[in-house]
Amino acid sequence: MTKIIKPIEWLGDRLKILDQTELPLHEIYLELTGYTEIVSAIKELKVRGAPLIGVAAAYGIALGAHCIKANDRDTFLKQLAVICGAFACSRPTAVNLFYAINIMKQAIPGNAAVSEIKTALVNTAVLIHRQEEQAMSRLSKIGAQLIVDGSTVLTHCNTGQLATGVAYGTALGVIKAAAEQGKKIHVYVDETRPLLQGARLTAWELSRLNIPATLITDNMAGYYMHQHEIDCVIVGADRIAANGDTANKIGTYSLAVLSRENHIPFYVAAPLSSIDLSIKSGAAIPIEERNQDEVLRIKGMRLAPPNMPAANPAFDVTPNKYIQAIITEKGIIRTPFKGNFITILQEGH
Ligand code: MRU
């Protein structure tokens, strides 16, 4: 039987995480005892993937609150605001982070004593984690309807258990659910330069699930689409604007354009917590620029000549016109996205 992956686990007074930077070669778990360690783990991609970043931040805020020594409410709340601010500065693109921080702030009971606030924050973090679990499980099963038996699916980055911290995922959750329904599928996995989340993490998850897969470099995707080898493309999302424009791992936009050119359906799978109605279009989504060393080096080894600069935007935005459907835990949303998002969100989370 496949060992269950637990990318994140709350241990009451510390947070246990699976260090994703060491996968697939080493399965190393870290026990983080202070909120600053969790902020660093998010920045360094030890925990990563939009939903998991939100869950980690929620537990991080609960842990930070637990460690505050002050007993008077005002001092405590000031220190808590600093902690929330540190998480808000960790990664800018995934809206799930800000969604989780807001829910944690809203969970602070008015006039309650410090000890009660600490308990409420832990309970809320656990609840956010559970809600993600339910959302991912539902959206995976809903999305599996779109996967045709016998088809070949291309995916990008890592969107499975490692990216969500729960049994299913977003795009990879849909693939897993389709396989569980008995559909024979084959997955083409983009390696996902520069940090190789596809080659290191998605390939690892798929082989543990015994789902047949082939690893390709990102620039092979067009070739296989043109050869009629790919039946659909499915990816996750870090932030979806009100009009459906979707930020996801760098390289997603190219896949969407190639899909249109080759008449291949392009799907986004994401929980409602990834939709940001406060942002009208993708133009306003903040794109994280990461350290150029991630492009210049692989595992510390420099590939480019000295003094060669590199660019490293971690995400790109796919315009809504390329997206066939967005799969959520409340159903499959098609264009016009804006009106349909509002309808679905009004039904409540
Ligand atoms: O930089 P990462 O590894 O956090 O990027 C992850 C992605 O881009 C995923 O596709 C996205 O978060 C959706 S995951 C469920």
Side-chain angles (χ1 to χ4, degrees), residues 27-47:
E27 212 173 308
I28 296 174
Y29 288 86
L30 306 171
E31 291 192 7
L32 310 179
T33 52
Y35 84 90
T36 52
E37 289 174 71
I38 303 175
V39 171
S40 301
I42 292 173
K43 286 183 179 165
E44 291 161 17
L45 273 55
K46 288 179 176 159
V47 284

Side-chain angles (χ1 to χ4, degrees), residues 270-329:
L272 295 176
S273 56
S274 300
I275 299 173
D276 184 357
L277 289 182
S278 75
I279 279 187
K280 273 197 200 138
S281 78
I285 299 178
I287 298 296
E288 177 182 8
E289 183 74 33
R290 292 187 61 85
N291 194 306
Q292 49 177 300
D293 268 353
E294 293 178 350
V295 173
L296 293 168
R297 297 171 190 273
I298 287 190
K299 286 271 159 209
M301 192 181 77
R302 191 173 170 106
L303 306 171
N307 304 324
M308 170 59 74
N312 191 10
F315 302 95
D316 57 26
V317 174
T318 297
N320 57 19
K321 67 176 178 179
Y322 293 112
I323 302 170
Q324 206 90 14
I326 298 179
I327 303 155
T328 74
E329 66 272 34

Side-chain angles (χ1 to χ4, degrees), residues 48-51 91 157-159 163-164 170 197 236-238 248-249 315:
R48 46 143 301 280
R91 295 195 72 190
C157 197
N158 172 265
T159 59
T164 58
T170 59
Q197 287 93 330
D238 284 82
N248 190 49
K249 180 54 59 195
F315 302 95

Side-chain angles (χ1 to χ4, degrees), residues 140-334:
S140 297
K141 282 161 199 157
I142 290 171
Q145 300 163 31
L146 296 171
I147 309 291
V148 178
D149 191 15
S151 64
T152 298
V153 182
L154 187 142
T155 193
H156 191 63
C157 197
N158 172 265
T159 59
Q161 295 181 45
L162 291 170
T164 58
V166 296
Y168 287 86
T170 59
L172 201 49
V174 170
I175 290 168
K176 178 181 171 185
E180 283 173 350
Q181 288 171 2
K183 291 180 181 168
K184 301 256 170 301
I185 44 178
H186 191 95
V187 186
Y188 273 61
V189 181
D190 266 2
E191 66 172 354
T192 318
R193 274 286 285 151
L195 292 177
L196 304 171
Q197 287 93 330
R200 294 186 305 105
L201 308 178
T202 301
W204 187 70
E205 286 199 48
L206 284 167
S207 53
R208 290 168 62 94
L209 293 167
N210 285 320
I211 297 176
T214 303
L215 180 64
I216 58 170
T217 61
D218 300 345
N219 51 5
M220 292 174 190
Y223 169 82
Y224 283 111
M225 287 188 194
H226 194 54
Q227 299 284 320
H228 307 290
E229 298 267 343
I230 311 292
D231 297 301
C232 76
V233 176
I234 177 160
V235 298
D238 284 82
R239 191 184 296 232
I240 303 175
N243 69 348
D245 291 352
T246 295
N248 190 49
K249 180 54 59 195
I250 191 78
T252 302
Y253 167 63
S254 324
L255 290 176
V257 176
L258 282 165
S259 299
R260 169 62 54 88
E261 172 66 18
N262 290 284
H263 312 288
I264 296 166
F266 181 89
Y267 302 122
V268 170
L272 295 176
S273 56
S274 300
I275 299 173
D276 184 357
L277 289 182
S278 75
I279 279 187
K280 273 197 200 138
S281 78
I285 299 178
I287 298 296
E288 177 182 8
E289 183 74 33
R290 292 187 61 85
N291 194 306
Q292 49 177 300
D293 268 353
E294 293 178 350
V295 173
L296 293 168
R297 297 171 190 273
I298 287 190
K299 286 271 159 209
M301 192 181 77
R302 191 173 170 106
L303 306 171
N307 304 324
M308 170 59 74
N312 191 10
F315 302 95
D316 57 26
V317 174
T318 297
N320 57 19
K321 67 176 178 179
Y322 293 112
I323 302 170
Q324 206 90 14
I326 298 179
I327 303 155
T328 74
E329 66 272 34
K330 284 282 179 79
I332 296 171
I333 306 179
R334 296 183 191 269

Side-chain angles (χ1 to χ4, degrees), residues 27 36 41 56 82 84 100 103 106 129 138 142 144 161 238 331 344:
E27 212 173 308
T36 52
V82 172
C84 291
I103 293 187
Q106 285 162 19
H129 195 177
R138 280 196 203 123
I142 290 171
Q161 295 181 45
D238 284 82
I344 227 162

